[in-house]
Amino acid sequence: MTQVGQVTARALMRRLAVEQSESRIPSIMAAVVREGQVAWQGGRGRTAGPPGGEPTPGTQYRLGSITKSMVAVVVMRMRDEGLLDLADPVGKHLPGVRAGEATVAQLLSHTGGLTAEPPTDWWERTPGVEAGELLGRLGPAHVKHRPGRRYHYSNLGYGLLGELVARLRGVPWLEAVREEVLEPLGMGDTTPRPRPPHAVGYAVHPYADVLLAEPEHDHGAMGPAGQLWSTAGDLARWAAFVAGDTGGVLAEGTLAEMREPAAVDDGDAWTGGYGLGLQLTRHAGRRLAGHTGSMPGFLATVWADPAAATGVLFLANATSGVGRTLLFDLLDILEEHEPRMPREWVPGAADPDLLALTGLWHWGPAPYTLRLLPDRGLALGPVSGGGRASRFVPQDDGTWLGLDGYYAGETLRVGPDHLDLNTFVFTREPYDPGAPVPGGVGDWHTPTT
């Protein structure tokens, strides 16, 4: 285990203690993960009414909507296996569903237009109904927006995804999540109902220091939206997974796809958004992925920074109260006291033919630089630093496929005297007359007056 130093540990613990005390949280556990290992963890408060017990890494709390991310992993596994396409209308796999025009991808990213809550009683506080009954209650009134029009968080959408998993896998959604996600990742303390030791869920009176125990039920068909219980130890493993330590559960490229923004709050300068089953946020130059969780009596959040292989998390037994900045503050404390060492640079071998391609190219009159990346990858970007930039990975047919930026998914072909990037021609000289520039190339000349 990579432990932080004593000074860092005390600073982290003090921040947690301040949150528990000032926000009046019955109990809270938090942890910091680095390079797949728990670097620090701490707990504060009491997990039940007087006298209660102190929280430990093995104490269970309710995960709430973090459950959604685990269901989404199973959906993405099925996509990779060819059992479904993300562009499929959900009605293709759930025939007769009267809200089935939304696609699988739209349900994953909360852009399917469905109502936020199911057509039941307050589902978080009451026993759930079976899938057949839930689906039978759906109708046009439960579609609030045209699919794809906007981000609108939908617990109901994940109820449908859970039933989709059940029908395509032939087992209940929970069994699929256990066999395909929890067990391979070693998350044996993550369960659908609480087991000892677990915290009791409480509401804290807003005007007095007294507690009210919150109810806990099996939520039936709505379980995929927030059923699971877990521990700080298991959630630390999940944070490592989201950061990139997939343990073979999911292809790295598929996990990266889940972390891409499918819906954002404020355009290109987004600070918060949603991918495919993962919430996204930005903080201090970091791009974080994870999820928040809330159920009566419980709050939880996990954020992972794949670029730094770092994660942070907390679990608390309060219906409300934990500040949004807690985990950001823990990240900042870690960065201030023990900044991550950059990886040592080492030279690598290069294909001479690819090495000859590097350097200056021109898109018309605009200069671009082509760099060689590991594993025969290429990076093309403007010399000025602003404009269209993308990375490319080699394909079996001798072309390169765009990974990100403007040219994501587009094909780069290398000719003897030019680059053809989805019909755009890059030449060594500006509009090189010796290269096949579409539209022809005249002579450069000096304007006369």
Side-chain angles (χ1 to χ4, degrees), residues 356-391:
L357 292 176
T358 62
L360 198 62
W361 291 86
H362 294 81
W363 178 55
Y368 275 67
T369 301
L370 186 70
R371 293 178 52 83
L372 186 59
L373 301 177
D375 300 320
R376 298 177 59 82
L378 300 173
L380 183 67
V383 171
S384 65
R388 298 171 177 175
S390 294
R391 296 174 299 150

Side-chain angles (χ1 to χ4, degrees), residues 260 390-393 401-405 407-410:
E260 293 174 1
S390 294
R391 296 174 299 150
F392 300 84
V393 290
L401 181 69
L403 273 183
D404 49 20
Y407 297 109
E410 306 291 358

Side-chain angles (χ1 to χ4, degrees), residues 255-275:
L255 177 57
E257 184 180 356
M258 294 179 70
R259 296 191 302 243
E260 293 174 1
V264 297
D265 291 338
D266 49 2
D268 188 56
W270 64 272
T271 56
Y274 212 92

Side-chain angles (χ1 to χ4, degrees), residues 98-99 114-123 126 129-139 141-144 154-157 159-160 221-222:
R98 287 175 288 175
L114 297 184
T115 182
E117 313 304 340
T120 64
D121 292 333
W122 188 347
W123 73 272
T126 57
V129 301
E130 295 302 314
E133 182 176 350
L134 177 66
L135 298 182
R137 295 183 182 185
L138 299 184
H142 300 113
V143 180
K144 301 300 184 180
S154 176
N155 287 298
L156 173 60
L160 299 186
M222 287 302 298

Side-chain angles (χ1 to χ4, degrees), residues 415-433:
D417 55 3
H418 70 286
L419 308 176
D420 185 327
L421 182 45
N422 192 31
T423 77
F424 287 130
V425 172
F426 290 72
T427 57
R428 284 296 192 181
E429 300 295 332
Y431 281 132
D432 184 354

